[in-house]
Amino acid sequence: MKKIISLLLLVTILFSLIGCSSKKDTITIAVPNDSTNEARALLLLESNGIIKLKEDATITATINDIVENPYGIEFKEIEAAQLPNYLKDVDYAIINSNYAISAGLNPITDSILIEGGGSYYANILAVKDGNQENPLVLALLAALNSRQVKDFIDKKYQGSVVSTVENLTDGYDASIDYSALENQTITVACSPTPHGEILNIAKDILTSKNITLDIKEYNDYIIPNTVVEDGTILANYFQHLPYLEDFNKNKNTHIVSVGAIHVEPMGLYGGKQTGLDKIYDQNK
């Protein structure tokens, strides 16, 4: 009898040890795979105490710059536009607001974590160097800097897109001879949401001066810059300055900002998870 009891105790202890040593499920977080936006995603996690980056990590940091990962997170680097499609396959994904909105997500109500305010990552109107003073560019910039555009952003996006324009216009630039621009066309490359929607407000403003705004929508972060660089399209509106500067450096392009228009807070969204319990339970 004693032998049986001893054997049962041994079996119990063994199962207990196996249970204690079993590895908890790995947490998966998908992040943008493009420079600056990947760093931006990692900084969001760091600011919420989920990871720690190297002391000298910059705005081009990657997962290789993570020095502390206490929750054992597995990162999946995904093309930014595809992140909403990967939500069902991962625990969480960090998504740019433009792609979140396009996928039917509300950055304010659906995100678990979201960036604070600030204009460092404000989306810009950009042109090839040398076109900064082109009257057509200035006309488009004035339209985007208008009270009409700001009011549209405030009403349409309810805080998930925020205007960064400080000196609002009535839609026009007093230094421009609009009569000389009549019947001309401004071509601009953009992502569909929110940039294409915002540009449609600018389009109405320019139409009143008999100027056509031809909006070309793209679903990636590469083509809108290459078509501006090669002169196919005059301007683009889809990116923030840190991304543009890194793009110029790596692609040897010569594109410059002519003005910041709005900022889109980046957010952490739940895929298989609905909250942060999965992460914080890992250390229990």
Side-chain angles (χ1 to χ4, degrees), residues 168-184:
L168 295 171
T169 73
D170 61 356
Y172 309 105
D173 184 333
S175 70
I176 296 174
D177 179 4
Y178 280 90
S179 63
L181 302 180
E182 287 186 1
N183 302 316
Q184 294 192 48

Side-chain angles (χ1 to χ4, degrees), residues 35-76:
S35 58
T36 70
N37 279 313
E38 180 170 2
R40 187 179 174 188
L42 296 177
L43 288 168
L44 175 62
L45 294 177
E46 183 179 49
S47 67
N48 284 276
I50 296 172
I51 61 168
K52 184 173 178 57
L53 297 169
K54 293 177 182 176
E55 290 284 342
D56 59 349
T58 68
I59 58 169
T60 58
T62 70
I63 57 175
N64 295 323
D65 295 301
I66 298 173
V67 292
E68 292 182 22
N69 184 6
Y71 303 107
I73 294 166
E74 177 185 337
F75 290 93
K76 295 185 179 294

Side-chain angles (χ1 to χ4, degrees), residues 232-245:
T232 304
I233 288 179
L234 179 61
N236 67 41
Y237 175 39
F238 77 99
Q239 65 195 323
H240 50 65
L241 187 58
Y243 177 84
L244 173 60
E245 291 175 340

Side-chain angles (χ1 to χ4, degrees), residues 144-155:
L144 286 171
N145 283 341
S146 67
R147 167 63 66 179
Q148 299 96 302
V149 164
K150 183 184 185 303
D151 289 347
F152 171 79
I153 290 173
D154 292 346
K155 182 177 179 180

Side-chain angles (χ1 to χ4, degrees), residues 77-123:
E77 297 167 299
I78 306 294
E79 200 276 316
Q82 298 303 317
L83 282 165
N85 297 330
Y86 275 82
L87 263 179
K88 65 183 185 298
D89 300 317
V90 295
D91 291 304
Y92 310 93
I94 300 181
I95 306 174
N96 296 74
S97 282
N98 58 317
Y99 292 128
I101 294 169
S102 294
L105 297 168
N106 184 316
I108 300 302
T109 60
D110 294 331
S111 63
I112 299 171
L113 297 174
I114 196 164
E115 287 177 327
S119 58
Y120 182 67
Y121 290 106
N123 283 211

Side-chain angles (χ1 to χ4, degrees), residues 178 181-185 204-212:
Y178 280 90
L181 302 180
E182 287 186 1
N183 302 316
Q184 294 192 48
T185 297
D204 291 341
I205 294 170
L206 293 165
T207 297
S208 69
K209 295 292 187 180
N210 295 316
I211 300 169
T212 299

